[in-house]
Amino acid sequence: MLRRSLENRDAQTRQLQDAVTNVEKHFGELCQIFAAYVRKTARLRDKADLLVNEINVYASTETPNLKQGLKNFADEFAKLQDYRQAEVERLEAKVVEPLKAYGTIVKMKRDDLKATLTARNREAKQLTQLERTRQRNPSDRHVISQAETELQRATMDATRTTRHLEETIDNFEKQKIKDIKAIFSEFITIEMLFHGKALEVYTAAYQNIQKIDEEEDLEVFRNSLYPPDYSSRLDIVRANSKSPLQRSLSTKCVSGTGQVSTCRLRKDQQDDEEDEDLDVTEEEN
């Protein structure tokens, strides 16, 4: 009867041991993965800071509207990294640290299991010794009574440690479920807060980019290429590039009445010369 009771309690202890081992394994994995998640988020924050710096440097070289739009975008993006920093800190405190604490908790439960197993082994050893004593010295009541007393003490100690283990493992399971709910709830809340803020910031950043006046900046760019006196100098170049005939026609068209009078004068002079030539010819004849 006592042997069967020992076997039942051993099976119970193994089940409790498996429960602790299961938590130790999976909480350890969760802790490592969440910690890596936080590190990746922190690295993303660092890369975003580099991006903010580069946007500001580039903006300083651009036209006014584009410059202002990029700087406003960079300001919003930098604000987002402040929220991301808060996300990193909260995840570390509310998710990673509680999971990490289970390393110590599991160690304490293993110590309880070890104490229980030691008491169980002592009880089993005393039971085996009593059985041997009864077989070897069935008539020696003093030795048998002493062995029974030792077994009784071992049984009481094993029972006490077993009850303590049952209570502590029961509390452990209750706390584990509560902690899992709290840890994952915190994780979701932290992520929702960040992404809610991120949506606001991204909306503002998008609006700043959309407000950039392309036509105005293009006009500024064109004006920077062509100085104020560019048009007058361009007219001079175009005038000098015309053929003599084009320049003559252009001069006639532009000069108006005064030029026409000059042309007419030249024509009258030519007619006079032709008349003089004709007179000379007649006198010779």
Side-chain angles (χ1 to χ4, degrees):
M1 187 71 178
L2 183 57
R3 180 68 66 180
R4 183 178 297 175
S5 176
L6 283 172
E7 291 175 354
N8 290 337
R9 281 187 290 177
D10 286 343
Q12 182 187 39
T13 303
R14 284 194 296 271
Q15 185 177 356
L16 296 176
Q17 190 172 18
D18 289 343
V20 173
T21 301
N22 188 59
V23 170
E24 181 182 32
K25 175 185 176 182
H26 292 291
F27 272 51
E29 290 292 332
L30 286 171
C31 183
Q32 290 182 8
I33 294 172
F34 271 121
Y37 181 93
V38 173
R39 289 194 299 272
K40 288 284 187 181
T41 304
R43 283 198 286 271
L44 179 59
R45 174 207 60 207
D46 294 340
K47 292 297 183 182
D49 287 340
L50 293 176
L51 181 58
V52 168
N53 291 336
E54 178 57 29
I55 291 173
N56 278 318
V57 171
Y58 167 56
S60 64
T61 68
E62 274 295 349
T63 47
N65 271 280
L66 183 56
K67 176 181 180 179
Q68 190 60 46
L70 288 174
K71 283 189 173 295
N72 290 340
F73 176 88
D75 289 343
E76 294 295 337
F77 203 57
K79 185 190 301 181
L80 180 61
Q81 305 324 307
D82 293 336
Y83 291 129
R84 202 184 298 276
Q85 174 63 26
E87 176 196 16
V88 168
E89 293 173 356
R90 289 170 183 165
L91 287 173
E92 185 70 31
K94 301 293 186 179
V95 177
V96 176
E97 286 300 322
L99 287 171
K100 190 183 296 183
Y102 263 80
T104 302
I105 295 173
V106 166
K107 185 177 182 299
M108 293 171 60
K109 301 312 167 187
R110 286 204 174 280
D111 290 341
D112 292 337
L113 281 166
K114 184 178 179 181
T116 301
L117 289 173
T118 299
R120 294 279 179 81
N121 291 335
R122 188 182 303 112
E123 183 185 19
K125 182 179 179 180
Q126 291 299 328
L127 178 59
T128 301
Q129 187 173 348
L130 175 60
E131 290 173 348
R132 287 177 180 175
T133 299
R134 285 174 176 172
Q135 290 175 359
R136 293 175 182 176
N137 302 298
S139 58
D140 192 342
R141 295 303 305 168
H142 177 70
V143 174
I144 292 174
S145 177
Q146 187 177 2
E148 288 175 345
T149 301
E150 293 294 330
L151 175 60
Q152 187 178 8
R153 289 176 181 173
T155 300
M156 290 176 62
D157 186 43
T159 302
R160 180 181 58 79
T161 56
T162 298
R163 286 176 181 173
H164 173 72
L165 179 63
E166 290 172 354
E167 291 176 2
T168 190
I169 294 299
D170 185 77
N171 292 332
F172 173 73
E173 282 292 311
K174 186 188 300 183
Q175 190 64 41
K176 177 196 73 176
I177 296 171
K178 183 179 179 180
D179 287 343
I180 280 291
K181 288 179 64 177
I183 289 169
F184 278 84
S185 295
E186 288 286 356
F187 174 73
I188 295 299
T189 301
I190 292 167
E191 290 296 292
M192 287 176 64
L193 285 172
F194 170 74
H195 287 289
K197 290 294 185 180
L199 184 58
E200 294 177 10
V201 173
Y202 280 132
T203 300
Y206 180 83
Q207 291 171 347
N208 283 319
I209 291 299
Q210 293 304 308
K211 288 178 182 177
I212 296 173
D213 192 326
E214 301 171 40
E215 293 301 324
E216 185 174 336
D217 270 17
L218 186 57
E219 186 65 26
V220 171
F221 175 74
R222 287 169 176 168
N223 289 338
S224 69
L225 289 180
Y226 309 126
D229 60 341
Y230 178 79
S231 297
S232 59
R233 287 192 286 109
L234 183 61
D235 291 339
I236 295 173
V237 172
R238 286 174 178 171
N240 293 335
S241 64
K242 293 178 181 179
S243 64
L245 178 59
Q246 287 176 324
R247 286 200 298 273
S248 174
L249 292 175
S250 177
T251 302
K252 289 178 181 180
C253 293
V254 172
S255 298
T257 305
Q259 185 63 36
V260 171
S261 299
T262 303
C263 292
R264 286 177 180 173
L265 178 60
R266 289 177 180 174
K267 185 175 185 302
D268 291 342
Q269 291 175 349
Q270 185 178 1
D271 291 341
D272 292 340
E273 291 175 356
E274 289 178 355
D275 291 340
E276 289 177 358
D277 292 340
L278 182 58
D279 292 340
V280 171
T281 304
E282 290 178 352
E283 289 177 355
E284 289 177 352
N285 293 332

PDB file of all heavy atoms in Angstrom, residues 233-265:
ATOM      1  N   ARG A 233      20.743  90.223 -73.361  1.00  0.00           N
ATOM      2  CA  ARG A 233      21.960  89.691 -73.991  1.00  0.00           C
ATOM      3  C   ARG A 233      21.598  88.672 -75.062  1.00  0.00           C
ATOM      4  O   ARG A 233      22.254  88.547 -76.084  1.00  0.00           O
ATOM      5  CB  ARG A 233      22.870  89.062 -72.934  1.00  0.00           C
ATOM      6  CG  ARG A 233      23.546  90.108 -72.054  1.00  0.00           C
ATOM      7  CD  ARG A 233      24.664  89.536 -71.192  1.00  0.00           C
ATOM      8  NE  ARG A 233      24.134  88.755 -70.089  1.00  0.00           N
ATOM      9  CZ  ARG A 233      24.217  87.446 -69.996  1.00  0.00           C
ATOM     10  NH1 ARG A 233      24.813  86.763 -70.949  1.00  0.00           N
ATOM     11  NH2 ARG A 233      23.717  86.800 -68.955  1.00  0.00           N
ATOM     12  N   LEU A 234      20.525  87.938 -74.822  1.00  0.00           N
ATOM     13  CA  LEU A 234      20.086  86.953 -75.803  1.00  0.00           C
ATOM     14  C   LEU A 234      19.633  87.639 -77.091  1.00  0.00           C
ATOM     15  O   LEU A 234      19.924  87.165 -78.206  1.00  0.00           O
ATOM     16  CB  LEU A 234      18.943  86.116 -75.223  1.00  0.00           C
ATOM     17  CG  LEU A 234      18.411  84.981 -76.103  1.00  0.00           C
ATOM     18  CD1 LEU A 234      19.525  83.970 -76.390  1.00  0.00           C
ATOM     19  CD2 LEU A 234      17.239  84.290 -75.427  1.00  0.00           C
ATOM     20  N   ASP A 235      18.971  88.797 -76.999  1.00  0.00           N
ATOM     21  CA  ASP A 235      18.540  89.537 -78.186  1.00  0.00           C
ATOM     22  C   ASP A 235      19.740  90.023 -79.011  1.00  0.00           C
ATOM     23  O   ASP A 235      19.739  89.976 -80.232  1.00  0.00           O
ATOM     24  CB  ASP A 235      17.695  90.745 -77.774  1.00  0.00           C
ATOM     25  CG  ASP A 235      16.350  90.306 -77.199  1.00  0.00           C
ATOM     26  OD1 ASP A 235      15.945  89.156 -77.487  1.00  0.00           O
ATOM     27  OD2 ASP A 235      15.737  91.106 -76.463  1.00  0.00           O
ATOM     28  N   ILE A 236      20.792  90.455 -78.308  1.00  0.00           N
ATOM     29  CA  ILE A 236      21.999  90.920 -78.995  1.00  0.00           C
ATOM     30  C   ILE A 236      22.648  89.782 -79.764  1.00  0.00           C
ATOM     31  O   ILE A 236      23.052  89.918 -80.925  1.00  0.00           O
ATOM     32  CB  ILE A 236      22.996  91.521 -77.986  1.00  0.00           C
ATOM     33  CG1 ILE A 236      22.399  92.789 -77.362  1.00  0.00           C
ATOM     34  CG2 ILE A 236      24.337  91.824 -78.648  1.00  0.00           C
ATOM     35  CD1 ILE A 236      23.231  93.349 -76.227  1.00  0.00           C
ATOM     36  N   VAL A 237      22.734  88.636 -79.127  1.00  0.00           N
ATOM     37  CA  VAL A 237      23.335  87.467 -79.779  1.00  0.00           C
ATOM     38  C   VAL A 237      22.532  87.067 -80.999  1.00  0.00           C
ATOM     39  O   VAL A 237      23.085  86.765 -82.066  1.00  0.00           O
ATOM     40  CB  VAL A 237      23.444  86.301 -78.774  1.00  0.00           C
ATOM     41  CG1 VAL A 237      23.872  85.023 -79.489  1.00  0.00           C
ATOM     42  CG2 VAL A 237      24.436  86.642 -77.678  1.00  0.00           C
ATOM     43  N   ARG A 238      21.205  87.099 -80.849  1.00  0.00           N
ATOM     44  CA  ARG A 238      20.364  86.714 -81.982  1.00  0.00           C
ATOM     45  C   ARG A 238      20.535  87.698 -83.149  1.00  0.00           C
ATOM     46  O   ARG A 238      20.583  87.305 -84.320  1.00  0.00           O
ATOM     47  CB  ARG A 238      18.903  86.681 -81.539  1.00  0.00           C
ATOM     48  CG  ARG A 238      18.565  85.475 -80.676  1.00  0.00           C
ATOM     49  CD  ARG A 238      17.141  85.575 -80.140  1.00  0.00           C
ATOM     50  NE  ARG A 238      16.802  84.412 -79.353  1.00  0.00           N
ATOM     51  CZ  ARG A 238      15.684  84.306 -78.628  1.00  0.00           C
ATOM     52  NH1 ARG A 238      14.822  85.331 -78.603  1.00  0.00           N
ATOM     53  NH2 ARG A 238      15.449  83.216 -77.948  1.00  0.00           N
ATOM     54  N   ALA A 239      20.650  89.006 -82.819  1.00  0.00           N
ATOM     55  CA  ALA A 239      20.827  90.020 -83.874  1.00  0.00           C
ATOM     56  C   ALA A 239      22.145  89.834 -84.604  1.00  0.00           C
ATOM     57  O   ALA A 239      22.220  89.945 -85.828  1.00  0.00           O
ATOM     58  CB  ALA A 239      20.756  91.417 -83.253  1.00  0.00           C
ATOM     59  N   ASN A 240      23.197  89.549 -83.878  1.00  0.00           N
ATOM     60  CA  ASN A 240      24.511  89.369 -84.494  1.00  0.00           C
ATOM     61  C   ASN A 240      24.613  88.096 -85.310  1.00  0.00           C
ATOM     62  O   ASN A 240      25.486  87.960 -86.161  1.00  0.00           O
ATOM     63  CB  ASN A 240      25.599  89.362 -83.416  1.00  0.00           C
ATOM     64  CG  ASN A 240      25.742  90.717 -82.760  1.00  0.00           C
ATOM     65  OD1 ASN A 240      25.414  91.737 -83.363  1.00  0.00           O
ATOM     66  ND2 ASN A 240      26.240  90.729 -81.520  1.00  0.00           N
ATOM     67  N   SER A 241      23.727  87.174 -85.035  1.00  0.00           N
ATOM     68  CA  SER A 241      23.811  85.884 -85.732  1.00  0.00           C
ATOM     69  C   SER A 241      23.080  85.904 -87.074  1.00  0.00           C
ATOM     70  O   SER A 241      23.144  84.949 -87.830  1.00  0.00           O
ATOM     71  CB  SER A 241      23.228  84.777 -84.848  1.00  0.00           C
ATOM     72  OG  SER A 241      21.840  84.987 -84.626  1.00  0.00           O
ATOM     73  N   LYS A 242      22.383  87.040 -87.455  1.00  0.00           N
ATOM     74  CA  LYS A 242      21.636  87.098 -88.709  1.00  0.00           C
ATOM     75  C   LYS A 242      22.565  87.328 -89.904  1.00  0.00           C
ATOM     76  O   LYS A 242      23.647  87.886 -89.763  1.00  0.00           O
ATOM     77  CB  LYS A 242      20.610  88.230 -88.657  1.00  0.00           C
ATOM     78  CG  LYS A 242      19.489  87.979 -87.655  1.00  0.00           C
ATOM     79  CD  LYS A 242      18.537  89.158 -87.622  1.00  0.00           C
ATOM     80  CE  LYS A 242      17.430  88.926 -86.614  1.00  0.00           C
ATOM     81  NZ  LYS A 242      16.514  90.077 -86.544  1.00  0.00           N
ATOM     82  N   SER A 243      22.131  86.937 -91.121  1.00  0.00           N
ATOM     83  CA  SER A 243      22.898  87.169 -92.355  1.00  0.00           C
ATOM     84  C   SER A 243      22.833  88.649 -92.735  1.00  0.00           C
ATOM     85  O   SER A 243      21.968  89.379 -92.261  1.00  0.00           O
ATOM     86  CB  SER A 243      22.296  86.330 -93.491  1.00  0.00           C
ATOM     87  OG  SER A 243      20.975  86.768 -93.760  1.00  0.00           O
ATOM     88  N   PRO A 244      23.750  89.138 -93.604  1.00  0.00           N
ATOM     89  CA  PRO A 244      23.724  90.559 -94.024  1.00  0.00           C
ATOM     90  C   PRO A 244      22.390  90.982 -94.604  1.00  0.00           C
ATOM     91  O   PRO A 244      21.891  92.067 -94.339  1.00  0.00           O
ATOM     92  CB  PRO A 244      24.842  90.634 -95.068  1.00  0.00           C
ATOM     93  CG  PRO A 244      25.784  89.531 -94.645  1.00  0.00           C
ATOM     94  CD  PRO A 244      24.908  88.432 -94.130  1.00  0.00           C
ATOM     95  N   LEU A 245      21.786  90.097 -95.435  1.00  0.00           N
ATOM     96  CA  LEU A 245      20.502  90.425 -96.024  1.00  0.00           C
ATOM     97  C   LEU A 245      19.435  90.571 -94.968  1.00  0.00           C
ATOM     98  O   LEU A 245      18.621  91.485 -94.982  1.00  0.00           O
ATOM     99  CB  LEU A 245      20.119  89.354 -97.055  1.00  0.00           C
ATOM    100  CG  LEU A 245      18.737  89.552 -97.736  1.00  0.00           C
ATOM    101  CD1 LEU A 245      18.720  90.914 -98.468  1.00  0.00           C
ATOM    102  CD2 LEU A 245      18.447  88.414 -98.698  1.00  0.00           C
ATOM    103  N   GLN A 246      19.455  89.601 -93.979  1.00  0.00           N
ATOM    104  CA  GLN A 246      18.470  89.649 -92.900  1.00  0.00           C
ATOM    105  C   GLN A 246      18.654  90.924 -92.088  1.00  0.00           C
ATOM    106  O   GLN A 246      17.686  91.567 -91.680  1.00  0.00           O
ATOM    107  CB  GLN A 246      18.616  88.419 -91.999  1.00  0.00           C
ATOM    108  CG  GLN A 246      18.110  87.131 -92.655  1.00  0.00           C
ATOM    109  CD  GLN A 246      18.373  85.928 -91.770  1.00  0.00           C
ATOM    110  OE1 GLN A 246      19.406  85.896 -91.098  1.00  0.00           O
ATOM    111  NE2 GLN A 246      17.447  84.985 -91.795  1.00  0.00           N
ATOM    112  N   ARG A 247      19.941  91.303 -91.847  1.00  0.00           N
ATOM    113  CA  ARG A 247      20.201  92.522 -91.085  1.00  0.00           C
ATOM    114  C   ARG A 247      19.711  93.754 -91.843  1.00  0.00           C
ATOM    115  O   ARG A 247      19.176  94.684 -91.278  1.00  0.00           O
ATOM    116  CB  ARG A 247      21.697  92.652 -90.786  1.00  0.00           C
ATOM    117  CG  ARG A 247      22.164  91.690 -89.696  1.00  0.00           C
ATOM    118  CD  ARG A 247      23.480  92.182 -89.087  1.00  0.00           C
ATOM    119  NE  ARG A 247      24.553  92.243 -90.077  1.00  0.00           N
ATOM    120  CZ  ARG A 247      25.341  91.230 -90.381  1.00  0.00           C
ATOM    121  NH1 ARG A 247      25.176  90.060 -89.796  1.00  0.00           N
ATOM    122  NH2 ARG A 247      26.299  91.378 -91.268  1.00  0.00           N
ATOM    123  N   SER A 248      19.895  93.733 -93.201  1.00  0.00           N
ATOM    124  CA  SER A 248      19.468  94.865 -94.015  1.00  0.00           C
ATOM    125  C   SER A 248      17.962  95.014 -93.984  1.00  0.00           C
ATOM    126  O   SER A 248      17.419  96.088 -93.768  1.00  0.00           O
ATOM    127  CB  SER A 248      19.959  94.692 -95.457  1.00  0.00           C
ATOM    128  OG  SER A 248      19.446  95.713 -96.271  1.00  0.00           O
ATOM    129  N   LEU A 249      17.247  93.850 -94.167  1.00  0.00           N
ATOM    130  CA  LEU A 249      15.787  93.861 -94.139  1.00  0.00           C
ATOM    131  C   LEU A 249      15.277  94.264 -92.781  1.00  0.00           C
ATOM    132  O   LEU A 249      14.341  95.031 -92.638  1.00  0.00           O
ATOM    133  CB  LEU A 249      15.236  92.493 -94.532  1.00  0.00           C
ATOM    134  CG  LEU A 249      15.458  92.083 -95.995  1.00  0.00           C
ATOM    135  CD1 LEU A 249      14.974  90.665 -96.232  1.00  0.00           C
ATOM    136  CD2 LEU A 249      14.731  93.051 -96.940  1.00  0.00           C
ATOM    137  N   SER A 250      15.963  93.718 -91.776  1.00  0.00           N
ATOM    138  CA  SER A 250      15.547  94.035 -90.408  1.00  0.00           C
ATOM    139  C   SER A 250      15.725  95.509 -90.126  1.00  0.00           C
ATOM    140  O   SER A 250      14.906  96.154 -89.493  1.00  0.00           O
ATOM    141  CB  SER A 250      16.374  93.203 -89.419  1.00  0.00           C
ATOM    142  OG  SER A 250      16.033  93.537 -88.097  1.00  0.00           O
ATOM    143  N   THR A 251      16.842  96.086 -90.673  1.00  0.00           N
ATOM    144  CA  THR A 251      17.118  97.501 -90.458  1.00  0.00           C
ATOM    145  C   THR A 251      16.065  98.369 -91.130  1.00  0.00           C
ATOM    146  O   THR A 251      15.595  99.362 -90.570  1.00  0.00           O
ATOM    147  CB  THR A 251      18.506  97.860 -91.000  1.00  0.00           C
ATOM    148  OG1 THR A 251      19.467  97.040 -90.356  1.00  0.00           O
ATOM    149  CG2 THR A 251      18.836  99.335 -90.747  1.00  0.00           C
ATOM    150  N   LYS A 252      15.675  97.958 -92.333  1.00  0.00           N
ATOM    151  CA  LYS A 252      14.649  98.706 -93.049  1.00  0.00           C
ATOM    152  C   LYS A 252      13.337  98.686 -92.302  1.00  0.00           C
ATOM    153  O   LYS A 252      12.640  99.681 -92.186  1.00  0.00           O
ATOM    154  CB  LYS A 252      14.447  98.124 -94.455  1.00  0.00           C
ATOM    155  CG  LYS A 252      15.600  98.390 -95.396  1.00  0.00           C
ATOM    156  CD  LYS A 252      15.337  97.737 -96.743  1.00  0.00           C
ATOM    157  CE  LYS A 252      16.512  97.994 -97.694  1.00  0.00           C
ATOM    158  NZ  LYS A 252      16.267  97.349 -99.014  1.00  0.00           N
ATOM    159  N   CYS A 253      13.004  97.490 -91.792  1.00  0.00           N
ATOM    160  CA  CYS A 253      11.713  97.348 -91.103  1.00  0.00           C
ATOM    161  C   CYS A 253      11.706  98.125 -89.810  1.00  0.00           C
ATOM    162  O   CYS A 253      10.701  98.691 -89.417  1.00  0.00           O
ATOM    163  CB  CYS A 253      11.414  95.883 -90.813  1.00  0.00           C
ATOM    164  SG  CYS A 253      11.134  94.907 -92.291  1.00  0.00           S
ATOM    165  N   VAL A 254      12.852  98.191 -89.182  1.00  0.00           N
ATOM    166  CA  VAL A 254      12.904  98.813 -87.866  1.00  0.00           C
ATOM    167  C   VAL A 254      13.043 100.323 -87.983  1.00  0.00           C
ATOM    168  O   VAL A 254      12.455 101.085 -87.232  1.00  0.00           O
ATOM    169  CB  VAL A 254      14.074  98.228 -87.041  1.00  0.00           C
ATOM    170  CG1 VAL A 254      14.250  99.002 -85.738  1.00  0.00           C
ATOM    171  CG2 VAL A 254      13.812  96.761 -86.756  1.00  0.00           C
ATOM    172  N   SER A 255      13.836 100.785 -88.982  1.00  0.00           N
ATOM    173  CA  SER A 255      14.175 102.210 -89.056  1.00  0.00           C
ATOM    174  C   SER A 255      12.986 103.074 -89.451  1.00  0.00           C
ATOM    175  O   SER A 255      12.886 104.223 -89.090  1.00  0.00           O
ATOM    176  CB  SER A 255      15.313 102.432 -90.058  1.00  0.00           C
ATOM    177  OG  SER A 255      16.444 101.750 -89.599  1.00  0.00           O
ATOM    178  N   GLY A 256      12.120 102.603 -90.282  1.00  0.00           N
ATOM    179  CA  GLY A 256      10.919 103.363 -90.641  1.00  0.00           C
ATOM    180  C   GLY A 256      11.212 104.433 -91.678  1.00  0.00           C
ATOM    181  O   GLY A 256      11.985 104.264 -92.608  1.00  0.00           O
ATOM    182  N   THR A 257      10.609 105.645 -91.539  1.00  0.00           N
ATOM    183  CA  THR A 257      10.642 106.727 -92.520  1.00  0.00           C
ATOM    184  C   THR A 257      12.043 107.238 -92.775  1.00  0.00           C
ATOM    185  O   THR A 257      12.457 107.489 -93.907  1.00  0.00           O
ATOM    186  CB  THR A 257       9.763 107.887 -92.041  1.00  0.00           C
ATOM    187  OG1 THR A 257       8.460 107.395 -91.782  1.00  0.00           O
ATOM    188  CG2 THR A 257       9.699 108.994 -93.084  1.00  0.00           C
ATOM    189  N   GLY A 258      12.802 107.367 -91.750  1.00  0.00           N
ATOM    190  CA  GLY A 258      14.166 107.890 -91.906  1.00  0.00           C
ATOM    191  C   GLY A 258      14.988 107.034 -92.810  1.00  0.00           C
ATOM    192  O   GLY A 258      15.725 107.508 -93.668  1.00  0.00           O
ATOM    193  N   GLN A 259      14.919 105.717 -92.672  1.00  0.00           N
ATOM    194  CA  GLN A 259      15.707 104.813 -93.492  1.00  0.00           C
ATOM    195  C   GLN A 259      15.235 104.849 -94.941  1.00  0.00           C
ATOM    196  O   GLN A 259      16.011 104.766 -95.862  1.00  0.00           O
ATOM    197  CB  GLN A 259      15.615 103.387 -92.917  1.00  0.00           C
ATOM    198  CG  GLN A 259      16.494 102.374 -93.623  1.00  0.00           C
ATOM    199  CD  GLN A 259      17.961 102.726 -93.484  1.00  0.00           C
ATOM    200  OE1 GLN A 259      18.384 103.227 -92.455  1.00  0.00           O
ATOM    201  NE2 GLN A 259      18.741 102.484 -94.529  1.00  0.00           N
ATOM    202  N   VAL A 260      13.927 104.925 -95.107  1.00  0.00           N
ATOM    203  CA  VAL A 260      13.387 104.982 -96.482  1.00  0.00           C
ATOM    204  C   VAL A 260      13.905 106.210 -97.205  1.00  0.00           C
ATOM    205  O   VAL A 260      14.275 106.175 -98.371  1.00  0.00           O
ATOM    206  CB  VAL A 260      11.842 104.991 -96.450  1.00  0.00           C
ATOM    207  CG1 VAL A 260      11.278 105.278 -97.844  1.00  0.00           C
ATOM    208  CG2 VAL A 260      11.336 103.655 -95.938  1.00  0.00           C
ATOM    209  N   SER A 261      13.992 107.343 -96.531  1.00  0.00           N
ATOM    210  CA  SER A 261      14.509 108.571 -97.140  1.00  0.00           C
ATOM    211  C   SER A 261      15.940 108.385 -97.587  1.00  0.00           C
ATOM    212  O   SER A 261      16.350 108.840 -98.655  1.00  0.00           O
ATOM    213  CB  SER A 261      14.424 109.731 -96.138  1.00  0.00           C
ATOM    214  OG  SER A 261      13.070 109.944 -95.780  1.00  0.00           O
ATOM    215  N   THR A 262      16.733 107.690 -96.775  1.00  0.00           N
ATOM    216  CA  THR A 262      18.131 107.440 -97.114  1.00  0.00           C
ATOM    217  C   THR A 262      18.229 106.597 -98.364  1.00  0.00           C
ATOM    218  O   THR A 262      19.048 106.841 -99.251  1.00  0.00           O
ATOM    219  CB  THR A 262      18.837 106.750 -95.946  1.00  0.00           C
ATOM    220  OG1 THR A 262      18.711 107.547 -94.778  1.00  0.00           O
ATOM    221  CG2 THR A 262      20.298 106.508 -96.257  1.00  0.00           C
ATOM    222  N   CYS A 263      17.386 105.585 -98.452  1.00  0.00           N
ATOM    223  CA  CYS A 263      17.398 104.708 -99.630  1.00  0.00           C
ATOM    224  C   CYS A 263      17.015 105.487-100.885  1.00  0.00           C
ATOM    225  O   CYS A 263      17.595 105.309-101.955  1.00  0.00           O
ATOM    226  CB  CYS A 263      16.436 103.551 -99.436  1.00  0.00           C
ATOM    227  SG  CYS A 263      16.980 102.403 -98.144  1.00  0.00           S
ATOM    228  N   ARG A 264      16.013 106.346-100.699  1.00  0.00           N
ATOM    229  CA  ARG A 264      15.593 107.146-101.837  1.00  0.00           C
ATOM    230  C   ARG A 264      16.711 108.085-102.283  1.00  0.00           C
ATOM    231  O   ARG A 264      16.942 108.306-103.459  1.00  0.00           O
ATOM    232  CB  ARG A 264      14.353 107.963-101.475  1.00  0.00           C
ATOM    233  CG  ARG A 264      13.087 107.111-101.392  1.00  0.00           C
ATOM    234  CD  ARG A 264      11.903 107.964-100.966  1.00  0.00           C
ATOM    235  NE  ARG A 264      10.707 107.157-100.880  1.00  0.00           N
ATOM    236  CZ  ARG A 264       9.547 107.602-100.411  1.00  0.00           C
ATOM    237  NH1 ARG A 264       9.465 108.869 -99.980  1.00  0.00           N
ATOM    238  NH2 ARG A 264       8.496 106.805-100.386  1.00  0.00           N
ATOM    239  N   LEU A 265      17.449 108.703-101.369  1.00  0.00           N
ATOM    240  CA  LEU A 265      18.555 109.588-101.694  1.00  0.00           C
ATOM    241  C   LEU A 265      19.617 108.878-102.491  1.00  0.00           C
ATOM    242  O   LEU A 265      20.139 109.387-103.476  1.00  0.00           O
ATOM    243  CB  LEU A 265      19.141 110.169-100.406  1.00  0.00           C
ATOM    244  CG  LEU A 265      20.347 111.094-100.575  1.00  0.00           C
ATOM    245  CD1 LEU A 265      19.957 112.322-101.449  1.00  0.00           C
ATOM    246  CD2 LEU A 265      20.854 111.553 -99.234  1.00  0.00           C
TER     247      LEU A 265
END
